Amino acid sequence: MTPCILSLTEEELTAELALLGHKAYRARQIREWVWRRRARSFDAMTDLPPLLRKALGARFTLRPSEVVELAGSGGGTRKFLSRMEDGSLVESVLIPAAEGKGGMRAERLTLCVSSQVGCAFGCKFCASGLQGLERNLSAGEILGQIVTAEDIAGARIDNIVFMGMGEPLANFDNLRQALEIILSSGALNIGARHITVSTSGNVPGLKRLTDYGRPIRLAVSLHGVTDAVRSRIMPVNRRWPLGKLIPALKDWCAASSHKITLEYILIEGINDTLGEAELLAGIARDLRAKVNLIPYNTVDSLPWKRPSEKQCRSFCRLLVSRRIPVTLRYEKGHDINAACGQLRLRKLKE
Ligand code: SAH
Ligand code: SF4
């Protein structure tokens, strides 16, 4: 696959240019075109010598994918499907949301990015894992989703969640490289507190993320409060059960100034009893975490259902009564078939 210039730090680009016989200031010039002026072709970089533009075009891509489907419109949630150079399909979701209170309200633009094509973890309720893992996305392909989203929205993304397809911590090196560019003031320049990595509980990956030490946020897909339930719906739990996951989360918490988010999908008859809400409150208290309840988004070909709204609200109320910070979030992409892995699944079946 052609390397993507989006994935290079200034030092890496400088080293590449040195190999081509160019001075370091060219790297700054190119990054200015790539990140500030958002050039869409190397030919547009008019203050570079034509031979350098040609050499860059032969060596790198500027956009690693093309958009093949765009769903949703205007001010609401939008999702797009990108086709990579090798034909792989990847989905990303753009979510505008108001943030803050009273006169301080501001529109934030969140992008939910994918980190892999498919997923090896095979959670039973998830469309992304149905066909297993095809491959990791490169750092350029992760960053390409962000730049493409900004092209579509005509605005800058200011919040990134790694909650699309794939398990980001199973693609750690590319995740870290993408994070460096996202955080870099000469590139995307998004603050660490506006970046959330979500994991299904990949313990070695969590340790690496803790050691990486950047003050980003962490979300954990818990979805079950006992090993029996969790292993039933998330095979990853057999490898890293709660007894291993929770200490790794405590290590993260000790090193982080943000609360972690426990994601909890509510699935009818599987994990939605008030007894489980009580256990969830205990885990959240122990970790000083907040809880995000997500009524299950049905997936064609899977048998799982979302509980009644009444049941979801009772589950939520129990956590509130235990003073756990909790939100009950009806999946924003539901109306446009936009939840995790679902647009790709539909396209693959076409
Ligand atoms: N692999 C990581 C990152 C993906 S995040 C992880 O699992 O955390 C995607 C989130 O959407 C996860 O919390 C996942 O459990 C959840 N999810 C998957 N399928 C869903 C569905 N059908 N309805 C609601 N949430 C779903
Ligand atoms: Fe993979 Fe996350 Fe889906 Fe599980 S929930 S299959 S880890 S993407």
Side-chain angles (χ1 to χ4, degrees), residues 55-269:
L56 290 172
R59 171 104 184 83
F60 299 110
T61 57
L62 244 181
R63 295 288 181 273
S65 59
E66 59 169 334
V67 176
V68 290
E69 198 168 322
L70 179 63
S73 62
T77 299
R78 271 176 291 175
K79 118 166 282 179
F80 57 92
L81 197 63
S82 308
R83 185 166 33 223
M84 304 295 146
E85 216 176 288
D86 67 350
S88 299
L89 295 172
V90 166
E91 60 185 69
S92 325
V93 189
L94 257 167
I95 310 154
E99 196 183 67
K101 294 194 177 89
M104 300 295 288
R105 279 178 86 80
E107 269 292 309
R108 292 205 80 87
L109 196 52
T110 294
L111 185 71
C112 175
V113 294
S114 292
S115 54
Q116 299 182 309
V117 185
C119 182
F121 285 73
C123 301
K124 301 281 190 250
F125 47 78
C126 174
S128 297
L130 282 181
Q131 273 116 352
L133 175 69
E134 276 180 35
R135 67 172 176 86
N136 283 329
L137 289 179
S138 67
E141 289 168 329
I142 294 172
L143 295 161
Q145 296 170 64
I146 305 170
V147 175
T148 301
E150 294 189 337
D151 291 346
I152 291 171
R156 292 290 157 97
I157 304 292
D158 38 30
N159 200 41
I160 296 192
V161 295
F162 283 84
M163 294 187 180
M165 241 196 311
E167 167 54 43
L169 297 184
N171 183 15
F172 191 85
D173 293 339
N174 294 338
L175 170 71
R176 183 182 46 205
Q177 179 76 10
L179 288 172
E180 286 301 310
I181 306 287
I182 294 170
L183 292 162
S184 157
S185 59
L188 281 163
N189 195 22
I190 297 175
R193 68 179 195 284
H194 296 300
I195 301 168
T196 303
V197 169
S198 178
T199 177
S200 59
N202 179 318
V203 168
L206 256 171
K207 293 203 157 103
R208 291 184 73 187
L209 194 68
T210 306
D211 292 342
Y212 174 52
R214 297 290 207 142
I216 58 173
R217 291 179 194 267
L218 180 69
V220 180
S221 296
L222 194 67
H223 309 333
V225 287
T226 60
D227 280 326
V229 171
R230 209 165 179 265
S231 292
R232 178 170 170 208
I233 58 178
M234 301 178 75
V236 61
N237 193 71
R238 294 185 203 133
R239 187 125 164 239
W240 298 297
L242 292 168
K244 292 212 165 92
L245 175 58
I246 289 175
L249 294 176
K250 283 192 176 160
D251 290 346
W252 168 273
C253 292
S256 167
S257 53
H258 307 299
K259 278 186 181 344
I260 59 174
T261 301
L262 299 176
E263 306 272 348
Y264 195 93
I265 310 180
L266 289 161
I267 312 177
E268 188 180 70

